[in-house]
Amino acid sequence: MLMRRSKEDTAKTRASIVGTASLRFRKNGICETGLADLMQAAGLTHGGFYRHFESKDKLVAEAAQTAFSSTIRAMQTAASKSRTSEGIKAIAHEYLSPKHRADRAHGCPLAALGSELARSDKATRAAATDGILKMIKTVASQIEGRSTRQAEKVAMAAVATMFGALVMSRIVTDSEMSDALLTAAKERLAAKD
Amino acid sequence: MLMRRSKEDTAKTRASIVGTASLRFRKNGICETGLADLMQAAGLTHGGFYRHFESKDKLVAEAAQTAFSSTIRAMQTAASKSRTSEGIKAIAHEYLSPKHRADRAHGCPLAALGSELARSDKATRAAATDGILKMIKTVASQIEGRSTRQAEKVAMAAVATMFGALVMSRIVTDSEMSDALLTAAKERLAAKD
DNA sequence: TGTACATCAGTGAACGCGCGTTCACTGATGTAC
DNA sequence: TGTACATCAGTGAACGCGCGTTCACTGATGTAC
């Protein structure tokens, strides 16, 4: 049993708790995820939690930020693989895929936790706001022939459509309807307006 | 202290529990709402809960159904007040209003509980599926000049856009951005595709 | 560079609390005769 | 129609459990001399 670690180890432990939390919150929900389980999943005992975080709420804010970052990165990667004119289609193809639908833990935190985030404290909502804005800007950057302002408006609606469709596709018990929701959103995003 | 009630009273009590639950779940979340608080809000003690429901999960499924019904009714009412060609605009105007954004308890359960519903048991998700389908059909009935199948596809994307935008507008801490999200979705829905 | 000591990451037991659920009890309702 | 009794809605105390959080303790790290 090792006690006090080097500063490097401490930072690694902290990052591991945040990373584990960002997966488990997305998979099972924030309220439904206990700190003891979480710490065990990160290979630690629950007592040590408060050496790294003031409260569960503080961890939630950090875990949300981490989750948004990784989703934004995935969107940028998807877009970078195609011409700008096809960028939105590429993002939508990944976002609205059966793979993303099936893997909440590694997917968009907005889709995994949206309604819980709306009830979270200021710090978590601020982190989510930043993440949402970056998602919108990422999508907007793929829109040609419009002012930044107009492109962002279109991007806001596009993100809403993708996120809304993915959540519904996850709720629905009818698999044909679930697929249809993903397809309908994809077609809508591909259409000129 | 009155004991056993008439059948009529029993039915009223049951309906009151479901109604109270549908409000409180939407306001505070399902996991965050305790049965003791819930029963107290309905004017009862917690012990009596199991005379009406097998478990909390069973109540959740019924409360979801109730919440969806009232939202669908509101959509139908909004649409019925305008010409069919303007029906979607009328629905979007209500759905994407600051009033709806501010009042989770009486609003759309998909927006209030979306990500929690995705993690709920089969019965609750089945109730939500029914509600989502009826919402889509309500919107689709306002679309002219398309086959039923095509109208439903467009309606799926429209519901996704409205629901997604409302949830984001509730999360965001920047009130200008929150308004912009509602407006952007409204404009997108008003546009011909 | 080597030694003495303060720091603090991590442990594991314990805190009070509220959770969903169960149960013995009460007494008006509804039923059987 | 009137009486005797079974039903069961609602009460309030209790169940075990897991929650977020606290704390005394351990001992390697990092620092001061």
Side-chain angles (χ1 to χ4, degrees):
Chain A
M1 181 176 59
L2 290 172
M3 289 300 160
R4 183 154 195 252
R5 315 304 184 88
S6 69
K7 280 184 180 175
E8 200 186 347
D9 284 344
T10 302
K12 268 187 195 166
T13 299
R14 192 192 154 91
S16 144
I17 296 170
V18 174
T20 304
S22 102
L23 295 176
R24 290 182 90 89
F25 288 155
R26 279 181 280 178
K27 190 179 181 202
N28 302 321
I30 296 167
C31 178
E32 293 86 345
T33 301
L35 292 184
D37 275 2
L38 192 76
M39 290 296 278
Q40 196 176 39
L44 298 156
T45 54
H46 61 281
F49 179 82
Y50 294 88
R51 295 283 162 201
H52 296 282
F53 307 96
E54 243 179 65
S55 65
K56 183 183 182 181
D57 280 345
K58 292 286 169 72
L59 171 65
V60 170
E62 280 201 50
Q65 193 174 37
T66 300
F68 271 106
S69 292
S70 91
T71 298
I72 291 156
R73 212 174 309 121
M75 282 181 159
Q76 286 165 344
T77 303
S80 71
K81 283 180 184 163
S82 53
R83 279 172 290 121
T84 302
S85 63
E86 301 279 303
I88 289 195
K89 270 191 212 173
I91 290 171
H93 190 260
E94 292 289 325
Y95 196 99
L96 296 165
S97 66
K99 193 186 163 197
H100 190 187
R101 177 181 58 193
D103 190 5
R104 274 201 304 262
H106 296 87
C108 178
L110 197 50
L113 302 170
S115 48
E116 280 184 87
L117 292 174
R119 284 183 258 106
S120 294
D121 68 16
K122 204 92 181 256
T124 298
R125 287 169 57 227
T129 302
D130 184 64
I132 290 169
L133 191 55
K134 279 177 185 154
M135 277 177 62
I136 289 163
K137 283 185 194 285
T138 301
V139 171
S141 74
Q142 302 302 311
I143 295 168
E144 293 172 315
R146 285 182 197 261
S147 68
T148 305
R149 199 168 197 78
Q150 276 305 309
E152 279 185 14
K153 272 203 166 186
V154 174
M156 279 180 176
V159 170
T161 306
M162 287 193 293
F163 148 52
L166 181 61
V167 174
M168 288 196 288
S169 81
R170 282 175 177 165
I171 294 171
V172 149
T173 51
D174 175 333
S175 66
E176 272 186 49
M177 185 176 162
S178 180
D179 291 346
L181 284 159
L182 297 182
T183 305
K186 251 195 287 195
E187 286 177 13
R188 186 69 173 114
L189 290 169
K192 305 265 166 281
D193 69 305
Chain B
M1 181 176 61
L2 291 173
M3 290 302 160
R4 182 155 197 253
R5 314 305 184 87
S6 69
K7 280 184 181 177
E8 199 185 348
D9 284 343
T10 302
K12 268 187 194 167
T13 299
R14 191 193 155 92
S16 143
I17 297 170
V18 174
T20 304
S22 103
L23 294 177
R24 291 181 90 89
F25 288 155
R26 279 179 281 178
K27 191 179 181 204
N28 302 321
I30 297 167
C31 177
E32 293 86 345
T33 301
L35 291 184
D37 275 2
L38 192 78
M39 291 295 280
Q40 196 176 38
L44 298 156
T45 52
H46 62 279
F49 179 82
Y50 295 88
R51 294 285 162 203
H52 296 281
F53 307 96
E54 243 178 64
S55 65
K56 184 183 182 182
D57 281 344
K58 292 286 169 72
L59 172 63
V60 170
E62 278 201 51
Q65 193 173 37
T66 300
F68 271 105
S69 293
S70 91
T71 298
I72 291 156
R73 214 175 307 119
M75 281 181 159
Q76 286 165 345
T77 303
S80 71
K81 283 178 184 164
S82 54
R83 278 172 291 120
T84 302
S85 63
E86 302 279 303
I88 289 194
K89 271 191 212 174
I91 290 171
H93 190 262
E94 293 290 325
Y95 196 101
L96 296 166
S97 68
K99 193 185 163 202
H100 190 188
R101 178 181 55 193
D103 191 5
R104 272 200 306 260
H106 297 87
C108 177
L110 198 49
L113 302 170
S115 48
E116 281 184 87
L117 292 173
R119 283 182 259 107
S120 293
D121 69 15
K122 204 92 182 255
T124 298
R125 288 169 58 225
T129 301
D130 185 65
I132 290 169
L133 191 56
K134 280 177 184 154
M135 278 178 62
I136 289 164
K137 283 184 193 285
T138 301
V139 171
S141 74
Q142 302 301 312
I143 295 169
E144 293 173 316
R146 285 181 197 261
S147 68
T148 305
R149 197 165 199 81
Q150 277 304 309
E152 280 186 12
K153 273 202 165 187
V154 174
M156 280 179 175
V159 170
T161 306
M162 288 195 292
F163 148 52
L166 182 61
V167 174
M168 287 196 288
S169 81
R170 282 175 176 165
I171 294 172
V172 149
T173 51
D174 176 333
S175 67
E176 271 187 49
M177 185 176 161
S178 179
D179 291 346
L181 284 159
L182 297 182
T183 305
K186 250 196 285 198
E187 285 177 14
R188 185 68 172 117
L189 290 168
K192 305 268 167 278
D193 69 305

